[in-house]
Amino acid sequence: MKKVFSLGLLIAAMILVTFSSCKPANTVKNVTGVKLSETTKSIVVGGEFVLTATVSPTDAANKEVTWSTDKADIATVDNNGKVKGVKEGEATITVTTKDGNKTDKCKVTVTKKPIAVTGVELNETEKKLKVGEEFTLTATVSPADATNKEVTWTSDKPAVATVDNGKVKAVATGEATITVTTKDGNKTATCKVKVSNTDEAIILGNVGYLEDAVDGAYLYDLRLVYPADAFNDEGQVQKEGTLYVFTINSTKPATPTSNPAMGNYVAKAGTAPMTIMMGKNWANSEYSYAQSFNAQGYLTGEKKPIKAGGTLTLAANKVSFKGETDYGKADLEAEGELKTVANGPWRFEPKAVSTQTNKFTKGTITSYEMDNSLDLYMVCNQDGKILIADFFIAKGSTSFTFGKYDVEKKHGAQAVGTIQKSQGASVSALWQMASLYGFVQGTSVKTIYFFDSGSAVVSDQKVEFDVKSHFGSSLKITYEGPLTIKKGSVAAAKARARGLSPLKQGKGIFF
């Protein structure tokens, strides 16, 4: 009985041990951390991205997380980790585990939405340089608020012209194209660079055909100005420079407005075709010369004749000159269309010989001190007729000297007791064309008879003209009225003495 009890206890104990060793283990694991797929991120306004949260351990019982932003006005985040940029700035996105409140953060920078480049322009599209000269191109990217305004520069012929960050340098003669390219959008703009060894000049006004200026010759007047930027865009002088005047003898033109023959014109004496005329012209002035002017546009220097051997070359849309004056050597080139106008010095005078008679009773007389005489400048403008005459009397005189005055044999002599011989319309101002008789239409003088020979007799309150015009018409004009003299200003006298009138980039002379 005692053995049976012991055996039963042993069996019961073994069963108890067995059941105790088969009890299930505890499988619940707590969260130890969380990590985001990004710790920093940049996006633009309106841009989005998704953050991924990885909870540790991978077999954690509760992997639920919550999302938050410290600046919802800059960047938002939803329950799935999707972040969206709202406005420029910085915000911190935080993920938090529900189990254990473990966290990780991502710093989000929100930038302005990029504005695409739509184009680029250069401050110059064409440029002329001499070898060794430099200039800087400026690129303007559009729109002005484009995000990426970076550009690159290239030259298609670096052996002719190089470019470095917009600075262009002329290396050798030739032509090169400088290109600027935007990094955003590959937009381009170009500048054509022409490199030469000549100085850039401009063609001043039109070419004038000087019809009837010299018998047997077909003269043209052509003018260059150096430097090219002496004139502004409005055609006004903005800096000092040099005017080059060329009177060339071409071949006979088809019409008075036909351009002179293309080719080389060489400076030499005589009137042979294809030459630059030298010496004095009919107005006792240099045919071909250089003359300096100031920043106000007035010719201030002496006329320096073009020296023998100088060559003027006319080509399609280009004029070049290589030669010398007392100002020094010149190697000029000007581009532009040549347009010829009928600009003969006698073009306003009828060729048909006639007798013109008229009587004036109103007029003014102004005196100007000249180098060797006193110039009495008479102007009568009455009933659609105009008379302008320069009388030369002794310096210091206070009244009009009575007597006979002959038209001077050569313009510009200004001898006492003479009347100025007209140089015709080879100048731009009417007063410079004196002496003359003409017809006024409105505010313009369309018909002019230029004094060439003859005389005038001055007496008490009377002046009687009996002169011949350039083409031989007889001018029998009388003035009856006061001979009171008004003294002109010193500045005006100097201007008259030197024939000063401001240069303009015009298209011919009109009256």
Side-chain angles (χ1 to χ4, degrees), residues 260-298:
M262 300 293 102
N264 295 327
Y265 292 79
V266 181
K268 61 182 180 181
T271 58
M274 304 304 289
T275 59
I276 300 174
M277 299 286 288
M278 299 181 65
K280 301 282 188 177
N281 64 14
W282 62 93
N284 199 31
S285 180
E286 296 293 337
Y287 267 118
S288 305
Y289 59 89
Q291 188 174 14
S292 62
F293 57 86
N294 61 23
Q296 287 70 49
Y298 286 94

Side-chain angles (χ1 to χ4, degrees), residues 173-188:
T173 58
E175 293 185 1
T177 299
I178 306 300
T179 302
V180 63
T181 305
T182 63
K183 286 192 175 181
D184 177 14
N186 290 321
K187 306 298 183 181
T188 61

Side-chain angles (χ1 to χ4, degrees), residues 43-49 74 83-87 110-111 113:
I43 59 173
V44 298
V45 173
E48 298 178 344
F49 75 103
I74 292 175
V83 180
K84 183 175 182 179
V86 178
K87 72 175 185 180
V110 182
T111 59
K113 190 173 183 179

Side-chain angles (χ1 to χ4, degrees), residues 97-233:
T97 64
K98 286 191 175 181
D99 178 11
N101 289 321
K102 305 298 182 180
T103 62
D104 197 12
K105 301 178 185 296
C106 176
K107 183 180 179 181
V108 177
T109 301
V110 182
T111 59
K112 187 177 180 180
K113 190 173 183 179
I115 298 176
V117 170
T118 58
V120 63
E121 293 183 353
L122 290 173
N123 58 322
E124 303 270 6
T125 56
E126 291 187 3
K127 189 72 174 181
K128 295 178 181 178
L129 298 175
K130 294 182 72 176
V131 174
E133 288 184 335
E134 299 179 350
F135 80 106
T136 299
L137 284 169
T138 302
T140 302
V141 176
S142 298
D145 57 351
T147 302
N148 184 359
K149 292 185 176 182
E150 289 186 70
V151 296
T152 57
W153 299 87
T154 57
S155 170
D156 70 335
K157 295 179 183 176
V160 173
T162 60
V163 62
D164 180 16
N165 198 29
K167 181 180 283 188
V168 180
K169 183 175 182 179
V171 178
T173 58
E175 293 185 1
T177 299
I178 306 300
T179 302
V180 63
T181 305
T182 63
K183 286 192 175 181
D184 177 14
N186 290 321
K187 306 298 183 181
T188 61
T190 60
C191 176
K192 183 178 180 181
V193 178
K194 183 177 181 180
V195 182
S196 70
N197 287 317
T198 60
D199 292 312
E200 185 181 4
I202 60 170
I203 301 169
L204 181 64
N206 295 320
V207 178
Y209 175 50
L210 308 180
E211 187 175 17
D212 299 317
V214 174
D215 289 341
Y218 306 101
L219 305 186
Y220 287 81
D221 174 88
L222 187 150
R223 302 178 178 220
L224 301 180
V225 167
Y226 173 79
D229 60 351
F231 285 84
N232 60 24
D233 293 339

Side-chain angles (χ1 to χ4, degrees), residues 35-56:
K35 186 175 182 61
L36 287 174
S37 53
E38 306 270 2
T39 57
T40 60
K41 185 73 172 180
S42 292
I43 59 173
V44 298
V45 173
E48 298 178 344
F49 75 103
V50 176
L51 284 170
T52 301
T54 302
V55 177
S56 299

Side-chain angles (χ1 to χ4, degrees), residues 233-484:
D233 293 339
E234 285 71 43
Q236 303 295 325
V237 175
Q238 63 181 357
K239 64 188 295 186
E240 62 184 19
T242 305
L243 169 69
Y244 289 83
V245 176
F246 303 94
T247 302
I248 58 175
N249 187 19
S250 182
T251 55
K252 185 176 181 180
T255 70
T257 57
S258 298
N259 282 337
M262 300 293 102
N264 295 327
Y265 292 79
V266 181
K268 61 182 180 181
T271 58
M274 304 304 289
T275 59
I276 300 174
M277 299 286 288
M278 299 181 65
K280 301 282 188 177
N281 64 14
W282 62 93
N284 199 31
S285 180
E286 296 293 337
Y287 267 118
S288 305
Y289 59 89
Q291 188 174 14
S292 62
F293 57 86
N294 61 23
Q296 287 70 49
Y298 286 94
L299 296 164
T300 54
E302 295 181 6
K303 293 180 179 179
K304 306 290 187 181
I306 302 296
K307 294 185 178 182
T311 301
L312 182 75
T313 302
L314 305 188
N317 299 318
K318 183 188 294 185
V319 177
S320 58
F321 171 69
K322 191 169 187 177
E324 188 175 358
T325 70
D326 284 344
Y327 284 119
K329 293 182 178 180
D331 193 350
L332 308 176
E333 183 175 283
E335 292 186 354
E337 181 183 1
L338 294 181
K339 182 179 180 182
T340 296
V341 296
N343 208 30
W346 321 112
R347 64 190 181 279
F348 298 113
E349 180 175 328
K351 292 183 179 180
V353 176
S354 64
T355 298
Q356 299 294 321
T357 60
N358 195 36
K359 179 179 179 180
F360 292 94
T361 57
K362 297 178 182 179
T364 60
I365 302 172
T366 307
S367 67
Y368 297 97
E369 289 281 349
M370 309 304 281
D371 290 338
N372 302 309
S373 59
L374 186 68
D375 177 7
L376 299 186
Y377 177 59
M378 172 182 278
V379 179
C380 302
N381 189 351
Q382 187 176 338
D383 300 326
K385 311 290 193 306
I386 189 168
L387 171 71
I388 301 178
D390 282 286
F391 291 82
F392 299 104
I393 65 174
K395 294 186 72 171
S397 300
T398 57
S399 61
F400 210 142
T401 305
F402 295 164
K404 182 181 178 182
Y405 292 77
D406 291 325
V407 176
E408 59 187 5
K409 295 186 181 301
K410 181 180 289 187
H411 171 85
Q414 300 177 354
V416 173
T418 64
I419 302 171
Q420 180 167 277
K421 180 186 180 77
S422 180
Q423 59 181 317
S426 56
V427 286
S428 59
L430 196 63
W431 63 265
Q432 292 176 294
M433 300 179 194
S435 300
L436 58 86
Y437 171 70
F439 295 85
V440 180
Q441 296 179 12
T443 58
S444 301
V445 179
K446 299 295 185 183
T447 302
I448 302 174
Y449 291 90
F450 299 102
F451 283 26
D452 187 72
S453 62
S455 62
V457 177
V458 178
S459 57
D460 185 25
Q461 297 196 43
K462 189 173 185 179
V463 181
E464 295 178 283
F465 293 88
D466 185 5
V467 301
K468 293 287 186 180
S469 71
H470 177 77
F471 287 121
S473 290
S474 296
L475 308 178
K476 299 183 180 297
I477 313 297
T478 302
Y479 167 74
E480 293 184 3
L483 298 179
T484 306

